[in-house]
Amino acid sequence: MSLSGTFESMPMADLIQWARAARRNGVITVRHPREGTERRICLENGTISACASNDSRDHYGNYLVRLGYCSEEDVNRSLQIQRETGVMVGQILVMVEKLTRDDAVTTLTEKTTDNVCDVFLWDEGTFEYDPKPVPPRKMVELSIDPIGVALEGLRRAGAWNSLRIRFHRDSILEATDASFSAAGEYENPRVARIVLPLLDGQRTIGRLCRELPFSEYSVIEAVSELARTGLARTSDVSAAIPRRQRLEENFAEAAAAEKRGDWGTAVQILEALDALHWEIPGLAEALPRARVRYKQNLYETAFRPEDVPIVAIGEEAAERLKLTPIDGFVLSRVDGHGTVAEVIRMSALAEMDALRSLKRLLDAGVIRFLPHPRA
């Protein structure tokens, strides 16, 4: 059975969960109609086995070189062998002992996840599912559970508006004299370590994103964490950027989201603007209004305070999930007996944070709700 549509009719999280539930084989091709970006997500028995991209920055060889696993010469030689034999670059590097199989699996899993999660940030897109099985290829075998990818993609989508408002593509940062320590400070310490020396007070964030073989989200997240830990600061050059104009445009974007009923996006943008402590006319009134409407919308369309959540995946799959502290804490309170209201109360989190976490876990297929007949 083939399938096609837009992300308005079937969001990315639903699409890969559908493939998982039905144990699909084949290829899902997603396209961004304006930017021309394309990803081909290969499926084997419902799991993700590969992701190809038409963006040269996403090539696996570039990724390995930047991470220091091998040289450009190694990659170029492997590409030549690939053209002659059809064996994929990762497998060739393992065969010639430039890369261990464990490192190949780890890096390919990271790169594939990064490429797929990037799609969760597209403002629009189309998809096509071709059920024709992927021809056997001489490559490193992967079997990535879509649940973990969906949860990571939704986490990024929830944080994206805050990141892009704080760190615009035209922003310029420079490294400080502080020492780098990866102990628990960074979502991806290797990316942060690579980004740090490139913060030279001249490169814009947009240029960094073009130079590095990581998703834009991964680069900006690393910049944000480096700034938070005192290893980077905004360069004086950035003062020339018309920041207030951009913030006013962001506020207008939030108003547009409200108008179309996308209260989740509106709240994300408004909260990011509020965190900057800039005087933006109308923000003080818009944020609480959007939060109320977002909560009402969740209780009308996703779940109700009296609904009872249960964990929808096996213990082994749950242990493999890379959970944020908030998601992990909320999930630990889901016992199959407590209602949504009780889970929120037991979590001791702010209601909005707990609600967003429950919605993220629901959309990723980690939890579901017991049938509860309406009065």
Side-chain angles (χ1 to χ4, degrees):
M1 180 190 82
S2 59
L3 182 71
S4 63
T6 67
F7 290 151
E8 287 185 354
S9 61
M10 194 173 195
M12 187 62 185
D14 292 348
L15 181 60
I16 59 176
Q17 289 291 6
W18 164 81
R20 179 184 188 273
R23 304 177 74 87
R24 298 288 180 183
N25 294 298
V27 178
I28 296 174
T29 301
V30 295
R31 298 183 180 90
H32 195 293
R34 287 185 292 102
E35 297 180 1
T37 309
E38 179 179 296
R39 304 277 192 277
R40 298 181 72 250
I41 304 167
C42 301
L43 305 169
E44 291 186 16
N45 202 29
T47 65
I48 298 172
S49 60
C51 179
S53 169
N54 67 344
D55 189 337
S56 60
R57 293 186 313 109
D58 292 330
H59 291 174
Y60 179 55
N62 298 338
Y63 185 74
L64 291 177
V65 171
R66 182 61 77 165
L67 291 178
Y69 282 98
C70 55
S71 67
E72 289 188 27
E73 183 181 356
D74 295 328
V75 171
N76 291 334
R77 189 179 300 116
S78 298
L79 287 170
Q80 179 62 38
I81 297 173
Q82 177 182 320
R83 286 189 287 269
E84 296 170 356
T85 65
V87 179
M88 304 303 286
V89 168
Q91 182 64 20
I92 294 170
L93 290 169
V94 171
M95 292 167 60
V96 299
E97 298 184 346
K98 294 294 183 180
L99 192 66
T100 68
R101 183 163 294 277
D102 286 346
D103 284 341
V105 171
T106 298
T107 53
L108 269 170
T109 298
E110 291 171 350
K111 186 58 180 162
T112 299
T113 301
D114 198 33
N115 287 351
V116 176
C117 287
D118 189 45
V119 180
F120 283 74
L121 307 184
W122 292 3
D123 54 357
E124 57 181 321
T126 63
F127 65 84
E128 295 176 5
Y129 165 66
D130 182 355
K132 185 177 179 181
V134 179
R137 292 186 292 174
K138 301 172 184 178
M139 59 187 291
V140 177
E141 294 183 1
L142 299 180
S143 182
I144 305 173
D145 191 339
I147 285 181
V149 175
L151 194 58
E152 173 63 11
L154 292 166
R155 180 192 75 83
R156 295 186 183 195
W160 178 235
N161 282 312
S162 176
L163 286 175
R164 70 183 179 86
I165 288 172
R166 291 180 57 219
F167 299 97
H168 191 266
R169 288 187 179 95
D170 293 332
S171 298
I172 299 173
L173 287 88
E174 58 188 7
T176 66
D177 295 329
S179 300
F180 185 91
S181 172
E185 297 286 355
Y186 306 96
E187 189 66 31
N188 192 324
R190 290 189 299 181
V191 174
R193 190 183 292 274
I194 290 168
V195 167
L196 180 58
L198 299 179
L199 300 178
D200 55 6
Q202 297 180 9
R203 285 180 172 90
T204 64
I205 289 180
R207 179 180 167 186
L208 278 177
C209 293
R210 292 190 298 272
E211 291 179 356
L212 295 172
F214 313 119
S215 67
E216 183 176 7
Y217 179 91
S218 295
V219 173
I220 296 181
E221 180 181 57
V223 169
S224 173
E225 291 170 336
L226 289 167
R228 174 176 54 80
T229 54
L231 272 72
R233 62 185 170 220
T234 303
S235 170
D236 291 339
V237 180
S238 299
I241 300 172
R243 193 178 188 193
R244 173 167 290 280
Q245 179 183 343
R246 289 204 308 270
L247 296 182
E248 291 173 351
E249 290 172 354
N250 293 141
F251 186 68
E253 185 181 344
E258 284 191 55
K259 192 171 182 179
R260 63 176 183 267
D262 186 358
W263 298 103
T265 297
V267 170
Q268 289 173 14
I269 296 173
L270 294 171
E271 286 181 340
L273 292 172
D274 185 60
L276 296 175
H277 304 294
W278 278 56
E279 285 294 331
I280 301 176
L283 177 60
E285 297 77 27
L287 180 54
R289 179 179 67 244
R291 282 174 170 161
V292 169
R293 294 300 299 271
Y294 175 65
K295 184 170 72 171
Q296 290 174 342
N297 182 259
L298 273 186
Y299 283 146
E300 290 172 1
T301 61
F303 45 74
R304 298 168 297 166
E306 63 269 25
D307 287 339
V308 177
I310 62 172
V311 179
I313 59 177
E315 183 177 343
E316 185 178 343
E319 289 176 351
R320 290 196 303 265
L321 291 177
K322 182 182 177 182
L323 296 170
T324 65
I326 287 179
D327 288 347
F329 196 68
V330 170
L331 186 61
S332 71
R333 296 300 185 266
V334 175
D335 59 6
H337 301 287
T339 64
V340 166
E342 290 167 340
V343 168
I344 293 173
R345 186 167 62 251
M346 288 188 296
S347 73
L349 295 168
E351 183 181 21
M352 288 297 296
D353 291 336
L355 284 172
R356 277 189 284 234
S357 177
L358 284 169
K359 181 66 163 59
R360 201 158 44 239
L361 293 168
L362 174 64
D363 289 345
V366 179
I367 64 172
R368 61 183 178 87
F369 289 90
L370 292 173
H372 187 92
R374 294 183 180 273

